[in-house]
Amino acid sequence: MAFDIEMIRKVYAGFPERVEAARKLLGRPLTLSEKILFAHLHPDQAAQVFERGKSYVDFAPDRVAMQDATAQMALLQFMQAGRQSVAVPSTVHCDHLITARVEAAEDLKVANEESKEVYDFLASVSNKYGIGFWKPGAGIIHQVVLENYAFPGGMMIGTDSHTVNAGGLGMIAIGVGGADACDVMAGLPWELKWPKLIGVRLTGKLSGWTAPKDVILKVAGILTVKGGTGAIVEYFGEGARSMSCTGKGTICNMGAEIGATTSTFGYDDSMGRYLRATGREEVATMADAIAAHLNGDAEVYANPEKYFDQVIEINLSELEPHLNGPFTPDLATPLSKMKEAIEANGWPAKIEVGLIGSCTNSSYEDISRSVSLARQVKEKGLTLKSEFTITPGSEQVRYTVERDGFLEVFDSIGARVFANACGPCIGMWDRVGAEKKERNTIVHSFNRNFAKRADGNPNTLAFVGSPELVTALAIAGDLRFNPITDTLTNDKGEQVKLDEPGGQELPPRGFAVEDAGYQAPAKDGSSVNVVVDPNSKRLQLLAPFPAWEGTDLKGLKLLIKAKGKCTTDHISMAGPWLKFRGHLDNISNNLLIGAVNFFNEKTDSVKNQLNGEYGPVPATQRAYKAAGVGTIVVGDENYGEGSSREHAAMEPRFLGVRAILVKSFARIHETNLKKQGMLALTFANKADYDLIQEDDTIEINGLTTFAPGKPLQLLFTHADGSSHTILANHTYNEQQIEWFKAGAALNIIRRSVA
């Protein structure tokens, strides 16, 4: 079934004309990314020659997708906007609040009991405002979107950083905070800085043990976790056309780990096959009719250096499997180099758990290739040496692989199947023994592997690989095992070698499902009541943030000077804190508890300048707020890397932090801070980071003449009476400065409706 077919038909009807107009405007051939961007300019946005990385541009996305953890805050904000229904097709997907403990059925039952209040709230809000609702167990948002909503040439935003997964079906799909989603659902333009363009030419063809996952693992090693910031990564070439649609989705999904705005592929036969296999033949037919417009122009791909800001070339025929990690997704090691890397770094070679699935690698093709290895366990007289888990990406995939006997094979070797949900990938894993904090190794096919990410244990070393490689390593139980060259000892004492994985791009008998888990909204939601218990520990109605007082900021204190990597996981942890995502006051008790304090090398321990004592970050900040004292947070490079969670911006705003001053920001987090009325500032001279002392009192001057491109002045007065002034840059445009003055972008939306 094709959802929102009239919307797609309208997009395609105007697509060729908009592309031709853009080509004429620029006077040159266009990349695919440029075609989609120009085709989605907001009606009030005049087309012009936008400057990459500098011009702020208003767009009109086709749809919005939200997962249950972020949807709570997004919809609480939307309820304040005063609208009767959403202006664009929107969906909510319940995938984040299901803890992986035992197995799918039991874990889902527990989640439905523990999070009933939240699910009921999301279902009723969706019903009232015309939002499609996918129930717990339906699947992971990105897999469900790929199966049902993504379409070539479309533009969507989603309240999850891995929204970019839909690039596998030729979309421009971008992760955002809930405030951005609120804007679009309210019918307002969506603002984005015109992206830079990175082209990745893929030649050759994957074979043997190499998988699409290895493409992005290789790219992550080249670009690092910040190398894609502010850019769209566009893949092209014969190698791109040779891969499956879901394989392309895997590559785009993990593009979030290089900081990319999004990643995408041009429309090809694999996308047409996938659309038809998932019941969207009409969409495929329409895409076929304008296929030339759903790819970059031939001249672009023939001479990419002329049209992209950076070009990377990868020969798939020569690419070898990779393992990335631990603790960062860009530490890329070719499989042939793993043994020496393990020896050099002292990584534990014994693999405790192998985990496959998640939004990154949960397609039919992924599971079929993994099951081809699982079958060999009994066939070759082997035993599974590590724990092994499978997380299907959707009920449609789960039902189909069960019908085709795959789950029976996994069960026969002792593997466990978790619910169709995010689970261990986002820290929702109740792993036995994790509380002991023992040093250990796991391998998974997820996308992120930050410390504590999967199981809360800072000493778990997580390595990212393809699902087939993870399966092989779980069978061997040894990180040093290379299935291309090494053998295993079977129950007869014989040396046996695993055969190369094999699988099917799509199920030969087609997809099947009894209940996909979709709930359509009421045609008229005006009579639907949304009730939030004022005593709830899980949900809390929002109060507007106060407007700027109209003066420069004086007497601010330093809350924390964060050292090194400070991701949104460090700023607002997930895992057990997910249950408070709809309650701003309660979740603010995790503010920056994972950040390392520069002055004592500890986490969740900062000096309270009011009494000179050290204490937890949230409690210290609450003391400042109670005393009417504003604060600033100082950070390092790529601050706010990782998830799109706007809680990492709303929590400091709610507790009275006035500014975040860092060496550089991750894109989504910087936008989230701006939307919430915060000051997001960067050091004009990064060396000034070293000058900031623990007992500093700070002034932020220049706010009364706050203007685009004009730095602010910050005066730091030290405990000994000495001081220094630094310049802080910012990227605010006129509209964003109005957000700051109003106290938040939402305050302006509310004002426009009143």
Side-chain angles (χ1 to χ4, degrees):
M1 169 185 170
F3 289 89
D4 309 307
I5 194 67
E6 290 305 318
M7 177 270 286
I8 298 173
R9 186 174 287 116
K10 183 178 179 181
V11 171
Y12 282 169
F15 205 92
E17 180 182 349
R18 291 188 170 210
V19 169
E20 289 300 336
R23 189 181 288 114
K24 184 177 180 180
L25 172 70
L26 298 184
R28 61 166 174 80
L30 301 177
T31 66
L32 169 65
S33 303
E34 289 171 320
K35 291 180 180 182
I36 300 176
L37 292 172
F38 273 105
H40 286 85
L41 293 179
H42 191 271
D44 295 335
Q45 173 68 65
Q48 55 187 276
V49 181
F50 301 111
E51 190 172 356
R52 294 180 187 175
K54 292 188 177 180
S55 299
Y56 282 99
V57 182
D58 286 342
F59 293 96
D62 300 314
R63 65 178 315 110
V64 173
M66 298 164 280
Q67 39 92 337
D68 50 353
T70 52
Q72 295 171 63
M73 198 59 69
L75 293 175
L76 284 165
Q77 291 178 85
F78 182 77
M79 288 168 65
Q80 286 190 306
R83 308 287 175 166
Q84 297 301 307
S85 63
V86 292
V88 301
S90 304
T91 52
V92 168
H93 304 260
C94 295
D95 61 0
H96 270 56
L97 302 178
I98 303 169
T99 301
R101 289 190 179 96
V102 184
E103 54 79 36
E106 184 172 334
D107 292 346
L108 183 58
K109 180 176 181 292
V110 171
N112 275 312
E113 294 169 354
E114 290 181 342
S115 294
K116 183 179 187 302
E117 179 184 16
V118 172
Y119 292 147
D120 288 349
F121 166 75
L122 292 174
S124 63
V125 174
S126 298
N127 201 28
K128 181 175 183 64
Y129 293 108
I131 299 169
F133 181 73
W134 291 80
K135 295 179 286 187
I140 305 173
I141 176 173
H142 314 302
Q143 180 70 25
V144 173
V145 164
L146 199 72
E147 291 175 358
N148 295 277
Y149 298 112
F151 66 96
M155 174 183 275
M156 69 175 288
I157 61 171
T159 60
D160 189 286
S161 56
H162 294 105
T163 298
V164 294
N165 186 83
L169 246 176
M171 291 195 89
I172 292 288
I174 300 175
V176 300
D180 277 350
C182 181
D183 284 358
V184 174
M185 290 189 292
L188 299 179
W190 174 62
E191 182 185 75
L192 178 72
K193 191 179 288 185
W194 193 267
K196 296 180 180 180
L197 298 177
I198 297 174
V200 181
R201 188 207 300 268
L202 301 178
T203 60
K205 188 176 182 179
L206 296 170
S207 63
W209 286 91
T210 310
K213 184 79 161 203
D214 297 303
V215 175
I216 186 57
L217 296 178
K218 174 74 171 178
V219 170
I222 295 170
L223 289 176
T224 77
V225 291
K226 58 180 292 187
T229 302
I232 292 177
V233 181
E234 185 172 323
Y235 293 86
F236 61 93
E238 60 175 338
R241 293 189 295 273
S242 71
M243 284 189 291
S244 68
C245 176
T246 52
K248 294 178 175 73
T250 288
I251 294 169
C252 291
N253 181 301
M254 203 171 158
E257 273 51 73
I258 57 173
T261 300
T262 192
S263 304
T264 195
F265 285 78
Y267 179 68
D268 62 13
D269 290 345
S270 72
M271 295 184 192
R273 291 193 296 272
Y274 188 74
L275 285 167
R276 290 179 170 87
T278 50
R280 292 172 286 173
E281 184 168 351
E282 188 173 356
V283 177
T285 300
M286 287 192 289
D288 288 341
I290 62 166
H293 297 294
L294 300 177
N295 277 277
D297 290 335
E299 298 94 327
V300 169
Y301 295 153
N303 300 286
E305 292 80 6
K306 292 173 59 178
Y307 303 98
F308 292 96
D309 298 288
Q310 180 179 355
V311 177
I312 296 170
E313 299 214 14
I314 297 175
N315 185 338
L316 301 184
S317 300
E318 298 175 355
L319 181 66
E320 68 172 296
H322 278 63
L323 281 172
N324 285 28
F327 304 129
T328 185
D330 60 349
L331 181 56
T333 306
L335 192 57
S336 62
K337 303 292 184 184
M338 272 303 293
K339 290 176 185 176
E340 58 188 82
I342 293 165
E343 182 72 23
N345 292 285
W347 296 330
K350 182 185 177 185
I351 297 171
E352 302 295 338
V353 191
L355 308 97
I356 66 168
S358 91
C359 68
T360 331
N361 281 110
S362 54
S363 67
Y364 185 90
E365 180 180 40
D366 290 328
I367 296 178
S368 69
R369 283 175 64 83
S370 293
V371 86
S372 73
L373 296 167
R375 288 193 179 103
Q376 297 179 49
V377 172
K378 286 197 171 183
E379 292 170 356
K380 295 180 181 290
L382 299 168
T383 55
L384 189 67
K385 295 294 177 62
S386 306
E387 288 185 46
F388 189 49
T389 72
I390 299 95
T391 303
S394 70
E395 175 59 14
Q396 179 167 265
V397 166
R398 189 213 63 80
Y399 188 94
T400 303
V401 298
E402 181 179 41
R403 177 204 66 188
D404 291 352
F406 295 174
L407 298 189
E408 184 179 352
V409 174
F410 285 131
D411 182 67
S412 72
I413 66 170
R416 282 191 295 169
V417 178
F418 286 142
N420 313 321
C422 300
C425 184
I426 59 164
M428 294 295 282
W429 182 20
D430 189 5
R431 184 184 177 192
V432 175
E435 72 283 354
K436 298 176 184 177
K437 297 186 177 180
E438 295 174 338
R439 196 162 184 259
N440 74 105
T441 290
I442 66 173
V443 291
H444 61 57
S445 67
F446 307 158
N447 37 46
R448 295 201 171 121
N449 57 352
F450 303 142
K452 302 183 182 181
R453 173 79 181 185
D455 62 2
N457 178 4
N459 299 312
T460 292
L461 284 70
F463 294 85
V464 183
S466 68
E468 45 267 60
L469 181 57
V470 169
T471 304
L473 290 171
I475 293 170
D478 194 320
L479 194 62
R480 296 165 297 192
F481 177 65
N482 182 343
I484 299 173
T485 58
D486 298 347
T487 59
L488 297 169
T489 305
N490 69 6
D491 54 12
K492 297 179 181 177
E494 301 166 334
Q495 294 300 303
V496 296
K497 195 173 181 183
L498 292 176
D499 299 329
E500 291 179 350
Q504 298 83 35
E505 174 186 341
L506 296 163
R509 291 194 284 157
F511 285 106
V513 67
E514 286 185 350
D515 178 8
Y518 176 69
Q519 176 180 298
K523 290 183 178 179
D524 179 4
S526 59
S527 62
V528 177
N529 291 318
V530 179
V531 179
V532 174
D533 184 346
N535 298 313
S536 171
K537 297 290 190 289
R538 300 288 299 271
L539 296 165
Q540 180 187 49
L541 294 176
L542 296 175
F545 288 135
W548 171 55
E549 51 268 69
T551 64
D552 290 336
L553 303 180
K554 313 287 187 181
L556 307 178
K557 300 297 184 182
L558 177 69
L559 174 61
I560 187 173
K561 179 178 174 179
K563 180 180 179 180
K565 188 184 283 284
C566 193
T567 71
T568 49
D569 275 1
H570 296 88
I571 304 167
S572 175
M573 286 187 177
W577 290 95
L578 281 175
K579 61 179 174 287
F580 297 124
R581 284 285 181 86
H583 198 293
L584 185 54
D585 192 21
N586 283 343
I587 199 168
S588 293
N589 288 321
N590 77 0
L591 174 65
L592 285 159
I593 63 176
V596 176
N597 183 354
F598 178 91
F599 298 106
N600 60 11
E601 300 282 342
K602 295 180 179 179
T603 58
D604 202 23
S605 175
V606 295
K607 187 175 183 179
N608 181 339
Q609 292 190 52
L610 301 178
N611 59 22
E613 298 177 358
Y614 284 86
V617 182
T620 303
Q621 181 55 37
R622 286 183 186 275
Y624 285 132
K625 182 179 182 180
V629 176
T631 60
I632 77 165
V633 169
V634 173
D636 214 315
E637 296 280 8
N638 208 30
Y639 184 89
E641 168 193 344
S643 299
S644 68
R645 67 188 66 145
E646 66 183 335
H647 299 76
M650 295 187 78
E651 291 174 34
R653 179 74 172 100
F654 175 71
L655 292 182
V657 177
R658 302 304 299 269
I660 311 293
L661 173 65
V662 300
K663 293 181 181 178
S664 64
F665 282 107
R667 176 191 62 84
I668 300 176
H669 187 62
E670 182 181 19
T671 301
N672 286 345
L673 290 168
K674 292 177 179 181
K675 284 280 185 176
Q676 301 303 333
M678 291 280 287
L679 287 171
L681 309 175
T682 56
F683 291 99
N685 179 2
K686 292 183 180 181
D688 288 342
Y689 171 92
D690 299 322
L691 300 177
I692 296 172
Q693 299 177 21
E694 190 170 30
D695 294 305
D696 282 349
T697 298
I698 305 108
E699 294 181 11
I700 302 178
N701 297 310
L703 291 175
T704 56
T705 55
F706 196 8
K710 184 179 179 181
L712 298 174
Q713 285 190 336
L714 275 70
L715 173 65
F716 289 82
T717 301
H718 311 310
D720 63 4
S722 64
S723 65
H724 69 269
T725 299
I726 71 166
L727 290 180
N729 294 332
H730 63 83
T731 60
Y732 287 76
N733 59 23
E734 293 285 1
Q735 176 178 263
Q736 294 167 349
I737 290 172
E738 290 305 311
W739 298 345
F740 167 73
K741 290 179 178 179
L746 185 58
N747 291 349
I748 295 176
I749 298 175
R750 188 186 303 104
R751 189 188 306 157
S752 70
V753 175

